[in-house]
Amino acid sequence: MSEQTFNAENTAMLLIDHQVGTMGWVRSIGFDELKANALALAKAAKALDIPLVLTSSMESYAQGPLLSELEEIAPQEHAARVQRQGVVNALDDENFAAAVKATGKRNLIIAGVTNDVCTVFPTLTALSEGYQVQVVADAGGSPTALADQVALRRMETGGATITSTNQLLAELAQSWTGANGQKILPIVAGLMPQ
């Protein structure tokens, strides 16, 4: 469990492999919901000036490019994304590890496109290195519901806090009438069913 509240000042956000090809492999959550949640996280990071680190794996293969909306939302971060060449655990990639360290933050929000591969291994590594981690479960998924449940349990047992996009956005807002809340409120509203 996290020892302190995550806020805009003490947190970095890692979005791992939200690529158009890989997203098609996820079956435990709908494509549109997964996409909306991942983009909401990126929007929140930008709105609150939270360091945002993006990474992708093998973009020229079946995994495909990162969601084009990420480039629109966070052009600098997209340009600086760490393009891994098949390294499964993103934190085993020295460039990604260096980018995370360079944020200077010890609280990490992690969302990977597949919880059972892209999210679980960097989460466990970060926890072993003393970071506090919140995993945004619904900004990722897995090929099956069982695979997703097992991955989330493994991360929680390892010390991660499992959260949802809406729950995390509310935590970052702190107060809907405060400055951060006013920046987050439109993002939350955009996630509500029509």
Side-chain angles (χ1 to χ4, degrees):
M1 294 294 291
S2 294
E3 296 170 8
Q4 64 181 31
T5 301
F6 281 38
N7 60 50
E9 290 74 40
N10 67 14
T11 301
M13 186 175 300
L14 317 181
L15 296 183
I16 301 171
D17 302 348
H18 288 90
Q19 298 167 248
V20 294
T22 311
M23 288 180 68
W25 304 340
V26 172
R27 295 286 184 265
S28 62
I29 184 173
F31 182 94
D32 291 338
E33 184 178 359
L34 167 58
K35 179 178 175 179
N37 290 338
L39 296 178
L41 294 178
K43 290 174 186 175
K46 292 301 288 181
L48 300 179
D49 294 320
I50 292 172
L52 173 63
V53 183
L54 303 177
T55 187
S56 62
S57 178
M58 302 172 68
E59 289 186 23
S60 60
Y61 293 86
Q63 292 88 333
L66 286 175
L67 291 167
S68 60
E69 292 90 343
L70 287 172
E71 186 174 11
E72 297 166 17
I73 294 164
Q76 291 178 326
E77 292 84 350
H78 183 272
R81 72 193 181 280
V82 176
Q83 297 182 57
R84 304 183 332 279
Q85 294 304 314
V87 176
V88 172
N89 180 347
L91 278 172
D92 282 345
D93 182 286
E94 62 184 21
N95 295 316
F96 185 72
V100 173
K101 186 175 183 181
T103 68
K105 308 299 181 183
R106 299 302 296 169
N107 289 347
L108 302 179
I109 297 164
I110 299 180
V113 68
T114 57
N115 289 327
D116 66 330
V117 177
C118 301
T119 311
V120 68
F121 301 115
T123 293
L124 295 174
T125 297
L127 290 164
S128 74
E129 293 176 357
Y131 289 94
Q132 289 191 97
V133 178
Q134 286 201 45
V135 171
V136 188
D138 62 355
S142 299
T144 66
L146 179 59
D148 212 50
Q149 293 165 15
V150 170
L152 295 173
R153 267 202 317 262
R154 184 173 179 188
M155 290 184 280
E156 188 171 40
T157 300
T161 297
I162 307 301
T163 192
S164 65
T165 300
N166 209 34
Q167 188 178 141
L168 179 75
L169 294 177
E171 183 173 348
L172 294 174
Q174 298 179 336
S175 167
W176 299 121
T177 59
N180 287 348
Q182 290 297 298
K183 292 174 184 175
I184 292 292
L185 203 51
I187 300 169
V188 172
L191 291 173
M192 293 300 120
Q194 300 299 320

